[in-house]
Amino acid sequence: MISVVLADDQALVRAGFRALLDAEPGIEVVGEAADGLRAVEVVRATRPDVVLMDIRMPGVDGLEATRRIAADPELAATRVVILTTFELDEYVFEALRTGASGFLVKDTEPVDLLRGVRAVAAGDGLLSPSVTRRVIGSFAAAAFAHGRQPEPPRDLGQLTDREREVLVLVAEGLSNDEIAARLVISPATAKTHVSRTMIKLGARDRAQLVVYAYEAGLIRPGWLAG
């Protein structure tokens, strides 16, 4: 059973998500919150698998709530999915940096919401690699335009040449199967490389690997087509 907490200041939005999720076999809503502070409290009390978190909430916003959840060792198994009104939300990149595992636009199709919740609960991280890549690329480009240049993290040296190559491909939005095809290796081997890269870099999931690649300068806006 996948447990979910809903955090949104609009009661109708929460009700809609609850009705959809509770009607789905294998998924259960175990708590709700109308602001970030309450969201953190509910998450700590219920230890859900997934949190659907709105960014713009009164008091403690979703960004700070995500940061607190991601920083709590006892909530390491909890994954936060950011709910946003628009794909290019100014806070999405920062939310991914602070530990969110992906994001969904609020008007997403029900089937995509359910698929996304299951994917994140399974540890897949990014709900839509291509869209997430576009969001990160957009705001990384804005950062570079204002003179913020990436600095290679000290722990980048832990990676093997192959792992660094895999990190770049993850940042391009490729799935394990696509990475395997690109590198002419088996999907199982690709998955192993991704897992080892996550462990070495202390990344919670693939979403953080994408952010890491941008911040390390391994991927720059404009390098990727489309």
Side-chain angles (χ1 to χ4, degrees):
M1 181 69 72
I2 298 172
S3 55
V4 179
V5 163
L6 304 174
D8 194 295
D9 61 337
Q10 298 182 49
L12 285 177
V13 172
R14 297 198 309 273
F17 279 125
R18 174 181 278 276
L20 176 64
L21 294 169
D22 279 345
E24 180 70 8
I27 298 179
E28 178 186 17
V29 175
V30 296
E32 296 184 20
D35 60 71
L37 182 60
R38 179 57 180 161
V40 175
E41 294 174 348
V42 172
V43 169
R44 286 175 174 162
T46 60
R47 307 291 177 89
D49 299 304
V50 178
V51 182
L52 296 182
M53 179 83 72
D54 184 26
I55 287 184
R56 294 175 175 83
M57 292 187 290
V60 174
D61 63 15
L63 192 64
E64 176 59 26
T66 297
R67 182 180 290 110
R68 295 182 187 183
I69 291 170
D72 190 335
E74 296 186 357
L75 301 176
T78 296
R79 296 289 179 259
V80 178
V81 176
I82 295 299
L83 297 174
T84 179
T85 305
F86 305 103
E87 287 181 354
L88 294 181
D89 190 300
E90 60 185 303
Y91 297 110
V92 168
F93 181 60
E94 184 63 23
L96 292 174
R97 288 186 70 251
T98 58
S101 295
F103 72 96
L104 282 171
V105 290
K106 288 186 178 181
D107 62 354
T108 190
E109 293 295 324
V111 64
D112 291 329
L113 171 66
L114 297 172
R115 185 183 298 118
V117 168
R118 292 188 183 282
V120 171
D124 291 342
L126 294 177
L127 306 183
S128 175
S130 61
V131 174
T132 302
R133 172 166 57 90
R134 189 166 71 247
V135 170
I136 293 176
S138 173
F139 292 101
F144 297 151
H146 286 83
R148 290 175 53 194
Q149 296 297 320
E151 297 181 5
R154 289 171 294 181
D155 50 1
L156 195 61
Q158 299 181 50
L159 302 182
T160 64
D161 289 342
R162 176 64 88 187
E163 288 164 350
R164 188 178 298 214
E165 189 174 13
V166 167
L167 175 59
V168 170
L169 295 178
V170 169
E172 290 181 7
L174 272 63
S175 66
N176 288 344
D177 287 344
E178 291 169 333
I179 291 173
R182 179 79 65 88
L183 300 180
V184 194
I185 57 179
S186 71
T189 299
K191 182 177 181 180
T192 297
H193 283 312
V194 172
S195 297
R196 287 177 177 171
T197 301
M198 289 172 56
I199 291 172
K200 288 183 178 181
L201 298 180
R204 290 166 63 96
D205 48 44
R206 296 173 77 97
Q208 287 202 310
L209 286 183
V210 176
V211 174
Y212 192 101
Y214 273 98
E215 294 192 325
L218 297 179
I219 289 289
R220 298 288 187 94
W223 286 5
L224 305 178

